[in-house]
Amino acid sequence: WEDILRDYPQVDYIVRGEGERTATLLLQALRDGAEPASVDGIAWRTDGVPAASAPAEMIRDLDDYRIGWELIEDWDLYQCFGMGRAAIIQFSRGCPHQCNYCGQYQFWSKWRYRTPQAVAAEIGWLHRTHGVNFIDLADENPTSSKRLWREFLEAMVAQNVPVGLFATIRATDIVRDADLLPLMKKAGMVCVLMGIETTNPETLTAIRKGSTTREDQQAVALLRKHGILSMLGHIVGFEEERFGDYLHALRQ
């Protein structure tokens, strides 16, 4: 925020961290003529010098905030290839895992979630009202709780809408939730992105991934068995890696 406020005069205020509550409080303060410093979680200029208020508290209940779908004027501008109209929704925020290359667990501070039934109802409403046929779950780790993930899938089945789902899920959770895969398919899951990161066991340990190449292979096989496409994210450039590791990765 310091660099942006110093180098870009077009920017007057920056919301730091989660924006839903902070942006609202900032706009209310500006409307009422209050000092920006009264709002936690923002940055601004004082006599041309960048300044920031105290960090804002993380949102405790995600159900207290919603997406302003009414701001979308032309839904045909939001499409997924071959699927028609699409939307991005969060079921949860954060991740309980602490892989050392990823900052999600630090940024979001803890894993939080919306009421599963409410998220499914919103997806159903989007299909019936705006013809949305594809949903991308923007979660870092939607399956952190198997119980809540099952509730969401069951609620999606109950909505009975032909909406395709895409999610990023850990391979270890796919293996753990093998019994839920028929329900995932029935709920509309068409594709899962899994970050396998590397095929080198030593590197997996070094980055604290908490998974094994065997589990990665099991997850792909399980998804294939249930007709769900798997995409794999593979990271190149860990400082623990050497050139020979890349050749090993290609063979894997």
Side-chain angles (χ1 to χ4, degrees):
W1 57 266
E2 291 179 279
D3 295 338
I4 295 173
L5 289 172
R6 183 187 64 243
D7 299 336
Y8 296 91
Q10 303 93 332
V11 178
D12 297 314
Y13 299 96
I14 293 176
V15 172
R16 301 160 56 216
E18 289 180 298
E20 291 91 340
R21 178 178 57 202
T22 303
T24 303
L25 293 175
L26 173 60
L27 290 172
Q28 291 173 344
L30 294 174
R31 179 196 62 191
D32 299 338
E35 288 293 328
S38 64
V39 180
D40 289 340
I42 66 165
W44 71 99
R45 295 185 193 85
T46 298
D47 297 326
V49 178
S53 59
E57 181 184 14
M58 301 301 283
I59 295 173
R60 296 184 180 183
D61 190 348
L62 297 180
D63 286 333
D64 289 342
Y65 298 89
R66 69 177 184 85
I67 299 174
W69 298 115
E70 65 273 17
L71 299 178
I72 296 179
E73 296 180 350
D74 184 359
W75 275 95
D76 286 333
L77 296 176
Y78 302 88
Q79 303 256 351
C80 179
F81 303 113
M83 300 290 290
R85 292 181 176 182
I88 301 175
I89 287 183
Q90 273 190 326
F91 166 55
S92 65
R93 287 180 181 174
C95 178
H97 300 279
Q98 297 186 7
C99 307
N100 68 2
Y101 60 88
C102 179
Q104 295 293 350
Y105 69 95
Q106 294 173 309
F107 182 81
W108 296 111
S109 76
K110 62 183 293 188
W111 188 75
R112 290 158 294 150
Y113 60 91
R114 295 173 58 195
T115 301
Q117 294 76 14
V119 179
E122 185 173 10
I123 293 173
W125 174 83
L126 283 169
H127 174 76
R128 289 186 288 267
T129 305
H130 296 292
V132 171
N133 296 320
F134 184 80
I135 293 292
D136 180 355
L137 290 180
D139 300 38
E140 292 75 31
N141 199 332
T143 54
S144 294
S145 166
K146 182 174 182 177
R147 175 182 64 84
L148 293 168
W149 181 240
R150 180 191 290 111
E151 288 184 16
F152 167 70
L153 296 175
E154 291 172 343
M156 279 300 304
V157 172
Q159 286 293 319
N160 192 30
V161 289
V163 174
L165 300 177
F166 171 86
T168 301
I169 300 176
R170 283 176 60 91
T172 51
D173 286 1
I174 294 295
V175 176
R176 179 200 68 190
D177 299 344
D179 60 314
L180 293 184
L181 290 178
L183 183 61
M184 282 177 57
K185 179 67 175 178
K186 189 175 181 180
M189 191 68 66
V190 295
C191 184
V192 170
L193 170 62
M194 297 180 290
I196 66 169
E197 322 316 358
T198 177
T199 55
N200 186 295
E202 290 77 19
T203 304
L204 280 173
T205 300
I207 65 176
R208 303 200 304 263
K209 178 65 179 180
S211 63
T212 65
T213 55
R214 176 174 174 76
E215 288 171 311
D216 295 338
Q217 292 169 335
Q218 286 179 308
V220 171
L222 284 167
L223 289 171
R224 182 177 294 139
K225 178 181 177 181
H226 291 86
I228 300 173
L229 180 66
S230 56
M231 298 172 61
L232 303 182
H234 190 287
I235 296 176
V236 173
F238 291 119
E239 62 182 36
E240 296 86 0
E241 292 180 326
R242 297 296 179 265
F243 184 75
D245 295 322
Y246 303 142
L247 296 178
H248 178 262
L250 287 174
R251 287 196 300 268
Q252 291 290 88

